[in-house]
Each structure stands twice: as C-alpha cells, then as structure tokens.
Amino acid sequence: MTIFALHSPEASLVLEQSGDALLWRHLGQRVDAAGLPPLASTRGAATFSLDEDVPFATAPGLGWFGPLAVSVAGRVLRWAVTDVAAKPGSLRVTLNDADTGLLLEQILRLLPGGGFEISATLGNDGPVPITIDHLASALLPLPAGLHRMLSWRGRHAAEFVECVEPLPAHQWRRETRRGLPGHGGPPGLYLLGQQAGWDQGLVLAAQLAWSGDAALAVERDDEGRHFLSVGAADGFTLEPGERHAAPPLLLAVSGQGRNGAMQQMHGAVRARLDWLRPRPVHLNSWEACYFRHDQARILELARAAVAIGAERFILDDGWFRGRDHDRAGLGDWTADPHKYPDGLKPLAEGVNALGLEFGLWVEPEMVNPDSDLYRAHPDWALHVPGAPQPTARNQLVLNLSLPAVEDYLFTALDRLLTNVPIAYLKWDHNRDLAPAGGLGQVQGLYRLLARLRAAHPNVEIESCAGGGGRIDAGIAAFTHRFWTSDNLDAVSRVTIQRGFQAFFPPELMGAHVGASPAHATGRRQSLGFRAGVALPGHFGVEMDPAKLPEPERAELASWIAFHKQWRHLLHGQQLVMGEGPDGLLWQASGEDREWLLLVTRTAPPQDRRPQPLALPFLAGAGPVHARLLARAGSTPHRGFGEPALLATLSGDGVTFPADWLAHAGLPLPPLLAESVAVIHLKA
C-alpha cells in the first residue's frame, strides 16, 4: 500500500494505491495521513453485496454501482493504474483499459489561494474509434458531516437566485442543455456542514471551468456516503491516437465557512487570469440611446462621460450595417455608412482625443437571416438537416466547429482591431443554442478567443450573454470582465452580485449605475443607492449623464471619484461577506490591516434602532480605527435620533478593540431602506 496526499493550508486530498486501483481515503479538512492502515482493513463484509469488496476509486470499475469516471455504451471498463507521479503540489495518475485501449490521465494540483484543480484527459490507443457517452472531469467523495447544498438558478434579468436544499437522500442533479451555462451562474455549487455559516464550519465549493452544457450530480449510496460527479454534458468520439481533455474542476475546501471557500475560489479564478491593472470606469451607450445613434450623438455622449470622470467609452449595439433594430446585420461587421460614413476610426480617435479608451460591442457567434453573411453561407448556421431553424432575438447561431466560420470571424474582428483603436470588446451572446452545437462549439469559441488575444494582447474582452448567461471560469481564461446582468435595478443587483461573488472576484463583476426608473423593473431608486450597490464591482454608467439634473450629475461624478480612490481595496484583495441584524447585508474587501466595509439595507428596518454589526474577520487584528466615509441613498430625518458617536465616526473616526468589533460589533448609523454605509477600517 502507498499513500499519496495533497495538502493545502486547510484541506487534504488523500488516496491509496492498492493493486491496480487508486482509492479515495479522504477529501476534507487537513489531516495527517502518515501511518494509515490499509483501507481494506477498515471495511468489513457488507450484507447482500459482492463477495469481493469494490471500494471507491478515482476510476471505479466492475462491481461499482455509483457514478463512473468514463461511460462507454455497452462496455465495462476495467481500469488499471499504470503510473502515479507525485510532485510537490500535484499528483498525476495514469490508468488504462486493456480491452479498449483507452488511456485515462487524472491530474490533481494545488492552486494559489488554497484551492485545488482536478482534470482528466482521455486518449484512445486502440485500433478503432470509440464513442464516449460521458467523461467526468472529477468524481469525488464528499466528506462526512455535510448537511445542505447551495446552488443558483436564474433567467434573463434575474440571475443568481440562491437555492438552499438538504443533501439528497438519493440523487440531486443539475444539467444544462442550452449550449452555455445559463443565467443561474457557472456549473457549480456549495456544500455546507451542519454548523457551517459565513465564518465557521466545513464548506466545500466547486465549479467547472466550462462554457457549454454541463452536468453536476450529488449522489448517496446505500452505505450512506455522498459523491460529487462533474463534467461536460456532451459525449464525443475518440479516433485512434486522439486525446480529449475534459474541462477542469475548481475545488475549494475550508473549515472557515462560506468566506473561506469563497476566498479559495477567488484565488483559483485569479490563477487563470493573465492580466492585472486597475479596472477603468466605463460608460456604455446601450441604455443611453439603444440603436438610435450616429457619430455626433456618440461624441456628445462621450463628452458627457469625460465630464463625470469615466475612463472608457463603449459603443454598444447599432453601429454596423443594417442595424437599426435587432432583425438584421449580425455577421456583417462593417460600420453602417449612414451612421458612420467614414467608418469607426474617426469616431474612435475622437473618443481617444477626449482621454477615453474606446470599446465596441460585438456578437460574433450570431448571424441574422437578414444579413449578407447568411445569404452567402446559410450552411454556416447551426442546424439539424431537414429540421426547422428556430430564431431567438431574430438570430441564428454560427457553427464555430467549422474552420471556415472561425477563420471568417477572426479575419473580420482582426480587421476591426487593426484598423480602429479599439481597447475593449463587449462580446455578447443573446440566445440559447438550439441545436446546442456540443463540444465543438465551445472549443471553437475558445480557439477564436485565443487567436484574438494572441494577435491583440492589449485588447480587453467582456463576456456578456443576455446579461449573465455565460459566467464561468472556462471563458474567464480568455476575458477580463463579466456583464453580470441586464437588470440594473439596485435592489435586484444586491443578491445577483452576492451570488456572482460566491464564485468570482469583484474586479471581474460589471456593475453599472443605471437610470431611474430601472429599465428592467420600472422601480425608482436614488442615485446614491444605485452607485453604492455598484461600488464594489468593475464600476460603470449605463445612461446619458447629460440628461441628469446638475446636482445628480455632480453626485455621480463624486461617486466615480470615490470608486477610483478606493478600488485598490475593492479589487484584487480578500473578500468576506455576512449578514447582520434586521436584514442587513455586508461585505468587506481588503487585507489584514485595511478594509472597506459596505453595509447594505434593501428593505425598511423592523427594529427601533440599529444593532451593532459583528465583524468576525477582524478578530485578533489589534486596535481598529473605523471611519464612516459615506451613506449612499436615503438619509434618515431628524426623528431617528442619530447617536452622538456618529458625528465622530463620520469625522475623524473612532478606534475600537478588534475583538470588540469581531464579537460585540461595530455601532452603525441608522440606515433607511435602499441605502449603503461605506466604512473604512484600519488596524
């Protein structure tokens, strides 16, 4: 028997090589694996089961009745370990099935921030093609003591709706069939121990780094154990000599509650990024003018953006030929001669001359039937021969598995990026895929993005899909930002953004100040509250500032300046979240000695006076100086009787013992519904 272990500061993955199998011994909080007895010595005979015990392995074989690592119709695969290569921080396992010639390589490695990445590659060393029904990226045992699950569902303009369920008695499964992750967020989930909360208890978080259809399953066997199986949902065929890499699974295991798992997940995602610079404040043209624009109108809007302190201007949909509505033009990526008779270059140069970066909206994966591209190449659209081609938003989807389509799109976008000073692409995707296109569609997208990034390394790309329909760690490796939701209603955004940050760091979260009333919901909110909610993300504006009354325009400019002043604490740092008394929600971002705390109230208070807010992350930090920097939103009238301490807290600030703040709590100012308190904390 040989024991292999990977240890993070908080967790351990422990396996045992026994004969031809690599058996799971532990996945959970950190343990000392030295001197373990063999697994076989700990498992007695079970009633009404096989005479020879079949324990859970990384690639289970005959006699295992749970989920499989690889599924081939009509075949029983008998995996045998041929090699285990252990290095500091990683473990590579190679297995083969002698009957088929299939070769399976599984890699487990430690990531910056304390999380793990688990991946699988399947190869065909046999003489004939083999159709694979399913390849699991990871097949994992869940630690004992888990009690409930968090997952997220959603729709357009209502992303990241948190769902809480007990661990299943049989099986829980989430499978997408729309060709992209969808508005419920990435293919991922959180699993919580009995006593787990925001700051304590065992929590396991997982997300698949994949932008297509995926399947996640949590299953309980009759021995009482739970297992997690995660992988892309599409099957494929392996030709002789071919290799197929499954998308990796990002895994977090923490004994420090949801915040510990979230921080590991942020570290895992940040490890996939190849850029780091302050996030420029955006102004996007879409809700300011929709399709109704021309060069003069856009330059006027750009001047309004400069006046409030924006750093980047995005020209959204409506700039290309035939695009006066959403029924035509997709696929023909040349400037509309009526709106921009000299092309986009003079416009972009004019925006640059104002001191703004210029960004452009594109939707490369789509085509309108009313377009020159579709008329020339109707066969380039995804379709089932002989079946109807359903449109959505009046558009079809290009088949990115076709080399000709990939080459056409690269040429069209490369020409734009070469001839026009474009610093940023807002890359949209405004429909579900029917048919879905399978693995080839996602792989073609990744190839196209990789080619564009290589040719134009300084151009940033945003992933947008009808708002938050394609937010995942797979596409994060090629992009710089996610558009979180088309819903800019600030009350809706509070929960949407908290769901986003369960998996992704805030610097990737597009968060804009929209108009009031909100275009998605019709609700009215103060400008301060809209800005306070957008503050932690990649900040932007989604309206025409020139249409605001002068006092509101000045207030918006002040919030942009405020965001710039503090984004060094909001982005690239450690994030913690929690819930306070009487419906308060809070989050703090920073490092060991300095934090920016945002306390949000969406509904009216039920209590007579605000209760102190406990901040467990400050325990042991020493004296902490707290200063109330701003209250965004409605300000209480005099009848609320604000405490005398508030004047000091709002002025020079107050110093508290850190353990007092961690356990007894920070005194808070009164907050009305739809308001945010911004507090600076420094040890």
Side-chain angles (χ1 to χ4, degrees):
M1 181 192 77
T2 304
I3 292 292
F4 298 96
L6 280 180
H7 300 289
S8 75
E10 289 196 67
S12 296
L13 281 61
V14 182
L15 299 111
E16 171 190 324
Q17 187 173 5
S18 178
D20 288 341
L22 195 66
L23 310 176
W24 274 105
R25 297 298 304 270
H26 176 75
L27 186 158
Q29 289 182 264
R30 184 163 179 143
V31 296
D32 182 355
L36 282 180
L39 180 62
S41 69
T42 70
R43 291 171 59 87
T47 59
F48 206 73
S49 60
L50 298 179
D51 293 333
E52 183 175 340
D53 188 33
V54 182
F56 180 51
T58 63
L62 184 63
W64 170 255
F65 299 104
L68 297 175
V70 183
S71 176
V72 178
R75 301 296 295 261
V76 175
L77 303 177
R78 297 182 293 172
W79 295 109
V81 174
T82 59
D83 184 56
V84 181
K87 296 180 180 179
S90 70
L91 186 69
R92 186 182 72 246
V93 184
T94 306
L95 310 98
N96 74 353
D97 174 65
D99 294 338
T100 60
L102 287 174
L103 181 78
L104 177 62
E105 182 181 80
Q106 299 171 321
I107 298 177
L108 303 86
R109 67 184 186 100
L110 184 63
L111 294 175
F116 299 91
E117 181 185 273
I118 302 174
S119 61
T121 298
L122 190 64
N124 179 7
D125 288 346
V128 297
I130 301 175
T131 297
I132 308 300
D133 293 329
H134 181 68
L135 168 62
S137 296
L139 186 58
L140 305 173
L142 295 178
L146 294 178
H147 179 255
R148 64 194 187 279
M149 315 170 44
L150 303 181
S151 62
W152 285 262
R153 62 177 297 275
R155 61 162 175 82
H156 176 249
E159 289 84 350
F160 286 102
V161 178
E162 185 177 297
C163 307
V164 184
E165 304 168 80
L167 251 66
H170 300 286
Q171 186 192 69
W172 174 94
R173 185 175 180 87
R174 174 191 171 188
E175 183 173 347
T176 54
R177 305 181 187 89
R178 299 173 181 269
L180 70 170
H183 291 80
L189 77 170
Y190 273 52
L191 298 153
L192 280 66
Q194 180 81 38
Q195 303 301 322
W198 286 102
D199 298 288
Q200 79 289 324
L202 175 63
V203 175
L204 183 150
Q207 68 161 314
L208 190 67
W210 184 239
S211 307
D213 289 329
L216 296 82
V218 175
E219 185 171 335
R220 182 183 185 272
D221 70 5
D222 60 3
E223 295 183 15
R225 302 167 300 178
H226 283 88
F227 304 94
L228 174 65
S229 175
V230 184
D234 298 296
F236 55 94
T237 298
L238 274 179
E239 298 294 332
E242 190 176 3
R243 299 287 187 268
H244 174 82
L249 179 75
L250 307 183
L251 177 71
V253 182
S254 176
Q256 305 301 314
R258 291 180 65 171
N259 281 325
M262 178 178 67
Q263 289 158 16
Q264 290 183 25
M265 195 58 66
H266 289 185
V269 171
R270 284 171 173 150
R272 302 176 66 78
L273 309 178
D274 62 356
W275 55 269
L276 184 63
R277 71 162 175 135
R279 303 288 77 219
V281 174
H282 281 199
L283 189 140
N284 187 279
S285 73
W286 180 240
E287 288 196 4
C289 54
Y290 292 103
F291 295 109
R292 301 180 301 276
H293 53 78
D294 54 33
Q295 183 162 322
R297 173 73 181 89
I298 292 303
L299 285 174
E300 179 186 351
L301 186 59
R303 282 189 284 271
V306 170
I308 59 170
E311 298 161 300
R312 178 184 282 160
F313 179 87
I314 314 300
L315 179 62
D316 212 290
D317 196 0
W319 61 267
F320 48 97
R321 187 154 40 91
R323 197 65 169 175
D324 294 322
H325 41 66
D326 66 7
R327 299 186 297 278
L330 285 176
D332 301 339
W333 298 110
T334 56
D336 188 301
H338 301 291
K339 298 177 182 178
Y340 304 102
D342 298 318
L344 290 181
K345 186 175 181 179
L347 172 66
E349 290 175 340
V351 170
N352 291 165
L354 295 171
L356 295 168
E357 295 181 8
F358 180 74
L360 191 67
W361 180 95
V362 292
E363 195 173 4
E365 298 156 80
M366 303 295 161
V367 63
N368 286 121
D370 184 4
S371 68
D372 290 344
L373 177 64
Y374 184 78
R375 284 184 282 271
H377 299 285
D379 54 313
W380 283 7
L382 280 174
H383 66 283
V384 176
Q389 291 180 273
T391 56
R393 202 176 181 246
N394 304 295
Q395 61 198 48
L396 298 169
V397 184
L398 292 171
N399 185 350
L400 291 183
S401 67
L402 298 176
V405 172
E406 180 189 328
D407 289 342
Y408 170 83
L409 292 175
F410 174 79
T411 300
L413 295 171
D414 177 66
R415 184 185 302 114
L416 271 173
L417 296 174
T418 299
N419 295 332
V420 181
I422 297 169
Y424 182 88
L425 289 177
K426 179 180 177 181
W427 188 295
D428 213 340
H429 183 292
N430 278 311
R431 62 159 291 175
D432 298 328
L433 277 59
L439 296 171
Q441 186 73 9
V442 181
Q443 292 166 340
L445 169 66
Y446 288 172
R447 286 193 305 271
L448 176 59
L449 287 169
R451 289 175 68 182
L452 286 167
R453 289 290 308 279
H456 304 278
N458 295 322
V459 174
E460 296 187 8
I461 301 175
E462 173 183 305
S463 175
C464 176
R470 188 162 62 191
I471 295 173
D472 63 87
I475 206 167
F478 304 97
T479 55
H480 303 75
R481 185 188 204 247
F482 292 107
W483 184 226
T484 321
S485 177
D486 283 345
N487 185 352
L488 294 175
D489 179 301
V491 171
S492 299
R493 271 284 183 145
V494 170
T495 54
I496 290 172
Q497 293 180 180
R498 287 171 76 86
F500 177 97
Q501 291 173 110
F503 295 100
F504 298 95
E507 61 265 25
L508 298 184
M509 180 175 72
H512 289 187
V513 180
S516 181
H519 290 199
T521 67
R523 287 194 293 204
R524 295 182 179 273
Q525 289 134 4
S526 70
L527 190 144
F529 180 59
R530 286 175 274 151
V533 170
L535 192 67
H538 185 168
F539 195 90
V541 176
E542 190 90 13
M543 59 177 163
D544 186 349
K547 294 183 178 179
L548 293 174
E550 175 54 36
E552 285 198 357
R553 191 158 60 249
E555 182 184 0
L556 179 57
S558 71
W559 279 113
I560 290 173
F562 187 89
H563 173 83
K564 292 177 183 178
Q565 179 183 358
W566 296 105
R567 63 186 165 194
H568 69 284
L569 285 182
L570 293 167
H571 298 163
Q573 306 293 333
Q574 192 177 66
L575 179 70
V576 291
M577 289 185 178
E579 299 172 27
D582 197 14
L584 289 180
L585 299 172
W586 64 268
Q587 67 181 69
S589 181
E591 50 189 357
D592 291 340
R593 303 196 61 80
E594 187 178 15
W595 299 78
L596 202 66
L597 171 68
L598 307 176
V599 183
T600 302
R601 173 172 295 289
T602 57
Q606 301 299 308
D607 297 337
R608 187 182 299 273
R609 67 179 76 243
Q611 298 302 303
L613 179 67
L615 301 169
F617 68 94
L618 291 175
V624 174
H625 184 263
R627 185 162 68 97
L628 178 64
L629 301 178
R631 273 189 291 183
S634 302
T635 303
H637 56 75
R638 293 179 182 178
F640 272 72
E642 296 201 341
L645 181 70
L646 180 60
T648 308
L649 192 66
S650 303
D652 294 334
V654 181
T655 298
F656 298 89
D659 289 345
W660 179 270
L661 296 180
H663 305 299
L666 173 70
L668 291 177
L671 292 174
L672 296 183
E674 300 183 2
S675 59
V676 181
V678 185
I679 300 167
H680 180 243
L681 303 168
K682 191 166 187 178

